[in-house]
Amino acid sequence: MAFEKLRKEETLAMRKRLIGQSCRLFYSDEPVKIIKARGQYLFDENDKRYLDCISNVHHVGHCHPSITKAAAEQMDLLNTNARFLHDNIVMYADRLAATLPEKLCVFYFVNSGSEANDLALRLAQQYTQHQDVIVLDHAYHGHLMSLIDISPYKFRKLAGQKEWVHVAPLPDTYRGIYREDHPNPGQAYADTVKDLIEEVHRKGRKISAFFAESLPSVGGQIILPQGYSTKVAEYVRSAGGVFVADEVQTGFGRVGSHFWAFQLQGEGFCPDIVTMGKPMGNGHPLACVATTVEIAGAFTANGVEYFNTFGGNPVSCAIGLAVLDVIEKEDLRGNATRVGAHLKDLLTKLQTQHQIIGDVRGVGLFVGLELVSDRDQKTPATETAARVVKRLKEEDQICVSTDGPWENVVKFKPPMCFSMEDAELAVRCIDRILTGVQCSRLTDET
Ligand SMILES: Cc1ncc(COP(=O)(O)O)c(C=O)c1O
């Protein structure tokens, strides 16, 4: 293999010396060196195969030959910036438009989810001429300074909350303030946003945007209750603000039944701005903001050019088009629906055998398994979750990881070619590990 020049220990030592230590590795105690991948499988330097349950970026499968071919062919022909007239950018925008509600018909191409959200923030502030932003608790929207400011998951560990940022409760019906037994959690959680808007107005401030992931992932693989987004959008718009749906993790058919996760909220709901990234280029840095003619018009009206050196270049757009083709040709949404339902069923059955499984939730290939040491108290079983992750990797060569404020939600966001057999294998191995944990009473939490 041309790239495999160093022994694993050498790579590790060089990484420690040369790469900023805030850039953490997966499995930092015993990192895995991956040198190639295909479909839903990763291979280490000894050709040991790992099942990848978490790489939502490699959406249509690692190193998919159609994506490689599209990239190589366009790379061989032309790659310029988007200031020259070229077919790819307009053809790609047109294909994306066909997946979205009609009013989301203007596109800006960028290189990462962070860039997309930063631009969404600028669009919202320019359009509304307001500054303040409402975000959900535990949210993460990116690594730029502007986004650390609107990401409670980060700013709580850093400089803290800015006066223009307001945090609404996470609509988590498992452990949030309104739960499954509430008659209308969607409305109840939306009313918390209404209250927040009133509080903001009392301070003499004005809302520019409500930002939320369509399925909060860092927050713990949360499924927003029905009616929530429609009501929030109504409140936010009547305050003069806009609704931004962050689809960086959840877009491009991951939920199976719909192309975008915000569509789970029903036909009547349409955000004002949608940001997208990760799966869009199947690993190639490609991201985007979709918005309305009115919002884009206000951004243009400020008279300042928006120029992004790499955003929307012919190679990126050729890759984006190829990703859309593969999703369709291989019916990956259908696969996400079928395999995701099977995975959720299997995990739900497992819940009847293991007290430690507090909740199983998800839609399509976006699934979370929340571990708790006490079902009534919902005490997060953080260390057990970490142990499950470690043992799955060491004993079964299965890669999963955790999310949620207490890192006790084992998450599944695999490439969309994940199979029934993959789901069965992962669940069998989790069953074996949890059985061992129960028998030996090894949990820190019990
Ligand atoms: C929901 C969400 N939005 C935005 C981002 C930022 O994307 P990127 O890392 O491509 O800048 C992330 C990254 O993890 C994310 O999960």
Side-chain angles (χ1 to χ4, degrees):
M1 215 25 217
F3 296 111
E4 228 265 290
K5 294 186 179 124
L6 303 169
R7 283 183 300 113
K8 186 173 170 183
E9 309 76 66
E10 289 170 332
T11 316
L12 197 54
M14 284 181 74
R15 176 153 175 137
K16 274 199 179 133
R17 182 161 51 81
L18 295 167
I19 307 298
Q21 288 303 292
S22 0
C23 307
R24 294 195 195 135
L25 285 166
F26 278 143
Y27 311 112
S28 52
D29 293 347
E30 224 177 301
V32 186
K33 185 173 176 183
I34 297 299
I35 60 160
K36 63 180 183 187
R38 202 71 165 183
Q40 63 275 50
Y41 302 110
L42 304 161
F43 297 85
D44 74 5
E45 75 284 16
N46 300 315
D47 220 24
K48 197 192 257 188
R49 194 181 87 168
Y50 291 79
L51 173 62
D52 181 357
C53 301
I54 44 175
S55 289
N56 57 343
V57 172
H58 307 96
H59 195 59
V60 302
H62 289 273
C63 306
H64 193 293
S66 302
I67 312 300
T68 312
K69 184 165 176 278
E73 282 178 2
Q74 184 58 53
M75 192 90 108
D76 194 41
L77 200 60
L78 171 77
N79 199 18
T80 55
N81 69 50
R83 276 165 156 171
F84 288 104
L85 197 58
H86 196 272
D87 288 347
N88 288 9
I89 187 168
V90 291
M91 278 162 41
Y92 187 38
D94 195 47
R95 286 281 297 277
L96 286 175
T99 68
L100 286 159
E102 220 170 307
K103 77 169 203 177
L104 295 169
C105 58
V106 185
F107 299 84
Y108 298 87
F109 291 100
V110 296
N111 309 291
S112 68
S114 296
E115 275 192 23
N117 280 333
D118 182 72
L119 179 57
L121 198 56
R122 285 180 66 190
L123 289 170
Q125 291 180 338
Q126 179 71 33
Y127 174 69
T128 62
Q129 293 293 306
H130 300 167
Q131 185 192 16
D132 289 26
V133 172
I134 299 180
V135 289
L136 293 180
D137 207 357
H138 309 296
Y140 176 65
H141 293 293
H143 60 78
L144 301 184
M145 271 173 77
S146 60
L147 305 169
I148 299 294
D149 283 347
I150 65 162
S151 298
Y153 167 71
K154 290 284 177 198
F155 72 60
R156 293 240 160 85
K157 296 176 195 157
L158 294 164
Q161 193 169 339
K162 296 276 163 49
E163 76 286 358
W164 55 275
V165 177
H166 312 279
V167 180
L170 182 65
D172 173 355
T173 55
Y174 174 66
R175 62 164 66 243
I177 51 174
Y178 305 113
R179 300 185 174 176
E180 293 100 339
D181 56 355
H182 190 283
N184 191 350
Q187 178 72 58
Y189 277 113
D191 284 345
T192 65
V193 176
K194 186 167 171 248
D195 295 344
L196 202 53
I197 293 172
E198 283 165 9
E199 206 181 301
V200 171
H201 286 171
R202 276 197 296 277
K203 289 182 189 156
R205 309 189 63 95
K206 289 182 176 157
I207 300 295
S208 71
F210 172 85
F211 258 79
E213 275 191 273
S214 300
L215 299 171
S217 41
V218 172
Q221 307 283 102
I222 305 297
I223 312 297
L224 296 180
Q226 273 307 308
Y228 176 75
S229 303
T230 309
K231 271 285 152 199
V232 168
E234 186 185 313
Y235 298 145
V236 170
R237 284 174 190 145
S238 64
V242 298
F243 191 112
V244 182
D246 180 335
E247 290 268 352
V248 167
Q249 296 239 15
T250 54
F252 292 83
R254 173 148 301 275
V255 301
S257 57
H258 300 82
F259 199 86
W260 303 103
F262 74 76
Q263 293 169 322
L264 291 168
Q265 289 280 311
E267 289 268 311
F269 171 64
C270 178
D272 302 295
I273 300 177
V274 172
T275 60
M276 45 191 99
K278 290 183 192 284
M280 211 174 163
N282 212 51
H284 179 85
L286 171 58
C288 183
V289 180
T291 191
T292 63
V293 169
E294 294 74 25
I295 293 175
F299 193 56
T300 309
N302 73 9
V304 178
E305 179 195 18
Y306 179 76
F307 172 60
N308 189 315
T309 300
F310 301 119
N313 69 68
V315 171
S316 297
C317 293
I319 291 172
L321 281 161
V323 169
L324 295 180
D325 286 342
V326 175
I327 294 172
E328 272 173 33
K329 267 194 211 136
E330 299 185 6
D331 185 26
L332 293 180
R333 279 176 55 197
N335 191 61
T337 303
R338 291 183 293 273
V339 177
H342 189 47
L343 174 63
K344 224 175 108 185
D345 271 2
L346 294 171
L347 290 171
T348 307
K349 279 192 197 116
L350 213 58
Q351 190 180 17
T352 61
Q353 294 151 36
H354 298 283
Q355 277 297 313
I356 198 160
I357 302 180
D359 193 32
V360 176
R361 53 182 176 260
V363 50
L365 282 172
F366 179 95
V367 174
L369 179 73
E370 177 146 3
L371 301 185
V372 293
S373 57
D374 180 317
R375 277 195 184 175
D376 294 330
Q377 301 298 317
K378 302 186 193 295
T379 319
T382 305
E383 288 198 25
T384 305
R387 202 166 295 146
V388 169
V389 170
K390 188 169 157 51
R391 287 187 55 187
L392 278 174
K393 173 242 179 184
E394 283 173 6
E395 296 166 22
D396 306 293
Q397 289 81 55
I398 296 177
C399 299
V400 294
S401 67
T402 55
D403 247 334
W406 295 274
E407 294 291 345
N408 65 322
V409 181
V410 178
K411 66 175 168 189
F412 290 87
K413 286 187 275 195
M416 299 271 283
C417 49
F418 203 68
S419 70
M420 295 287 189
E421 295 73 33
D422 297 327
E424 286 157 13
L425 174 69
V427 174
R428 241 186 355 261
C429 296
I430 291 174
D431 185 21
R432 190 198 71 244
I433 292 169
L434 291 182
T435 305
V437 163
Q438 236 170 27
C439 292
S440 61
R441 293 190 163 276
L442 267 175
T443 62
D444 52 300
E445 292 93 355
T446 49

